[in-house]
Amino acid sequence: ILVIELNKRDLQQVEKFGRFMSSNIIIIKKKKDCVKTQINSTQLVEELINIGLIKNKSNIYQKVNIDYDLLKHYYRGLIDGDGWIVKHLNKTSLNHQYEFGLCCGHMEVLIDFEEYIKKELNVDKIGCRRKTRTVNQIIIGGNNNFRKIVELLGYNKYYSMPRKLELINNALSD
């Protein structure tokens, strides 16, 4: 069984996935402001596992096993699912500053993400990792880094969660 669970704000994405799968998708609204659906297809699940889908990704760290060229899609998906985009006002310059954030139960995932970004952007340091009592985070700030990461990860109307893409487009238009 393949289970997809998203924030209730992303209900349209769950419905879109159902139409793509040509299924009569059942949407279950849960107490924690999420919606979830299940697809019962052993073949689909086996194919996803073969290309690197991680069962219970929140509970298990397993280095992703996909072609390097596909990593940008993987990391964009992580940010779409477990990340955030924030706009701050710099009190000194009075300019807006943007940042990406990503949280994960496994620091190794964030280290892998950080190494990928550093390699692709050809920089020695990017972001700041931190551990709270319950989660690990990486925060990457600065408008130049923000723009480079948007370009690197290929955010566009075809591949991105609509609410994240809206935040990105607002940031880029400032």
Side-chain angles (χ1 to χ4, degrees):
I1 295 176
L2 174 66
V3 178
I4 297 175
E5 182 175 335
L6 299 172
N7 185 286
K8 69 181 180 183
R9 293 177 293 180
D10 299 317
L11 174 62
Q12 289 178 322
Q13 291 301 108
V14 175
E15 293 170 335
K16 186 178 181 181
F17 180 74
R19 285 190 303 274
F20 175 77
M21 296 297 294
S22 300
S23 73
N24 294 326
I25 197 162
I26 297 171
I27 297 171
I28 302 164
K29 295 186 179 184
K30 297 178 67 176
K31 292 180 185 175
K32 61 178 185 174
D33 293 332
C34 291
V35 291
K36 115 177 166 176
T37 189
Q38 298 178 178
I39 308 290
N40 190 8
S41 169
T42 304
Q43 180 183 354
L44 175 62
V45 170
E46 287 174 1
E47 288 177 18
L48 290 170
I49 289 170
N50 286 339
I51 63 167
L53 181 80
I54 301 167
K55 181 179 177 182
N56 297 325
K57 77 166 179 67
S58 300
N59 303 325
I60 301 167
Y61 171 70
Q62 181 179 337
K63 193 163 185 79
V64 65
N65 184 24
I66 58 175
D67 291 340
Y68 189 85
D69 293 345
L70 298 176
L71 281 175
K72 69 179 180 181
H73 302 293
Y74 171 75
Y75 289 124
R76 185 182 57 247
L78 285 182
I79 292 172
D80 278 352
D82 294 326
W84 64 91
I85 298 163
V86 177
K87 175 181 177 179
H88 297 284
L89 181 64
N90 182 314
K91 293 177 183 174
T92 306
S93 68
L94 299 180
N95 292 325
H96 289 115
Q97 299 289 311
Y98 296 92
E99 71 182 34
F100 279 105
L102 178 61
C103 62
C104 183
H106 302 284
M107 183 62 81
E108 298 90 347
V109 172
L110 301 179
I111 292 169
D112 292 346
F113 173 67
E114 182 182 32
E115 292 302 315
Y116 173 76
I117 297 296
K118 284 172 24 180
K119 179 179 180 181
E120 289 299 309
L121 298 183
N122 196 26
V123 295
D124 294 328
K125 183 177 183 338
I126 189 137
C128 124
R129 279 182 272 127
R130 66 180 176 206
K131 182 176 180 65
T132 69
R133 286 186 337 201
T134 56
V135 73
N136 302 294
Q137 300 175 337
I138 186 167
I139 299 169
I140 301 173
N143 291 351
N144 287 335
N145 286 337
F146 185 88
R147 289 177 189 279
K148 289 176 184 176
I149 292 170
V150 165
E151 184 178 323
L152 169 65
L153 298 182
Y155 277 91
N156 64 54
K157 67 181 181 179
Y158 302 108
Y159 300 125
S160 306
M161 293 286 276
R163 68 183 170 91
K164 296 286 171 86
L165 185 59
E166 182 179 348
L167 291 169
I168 288 169
N169 287 335
N170 289 340
L172 296 177
S173 67
D174 269 357

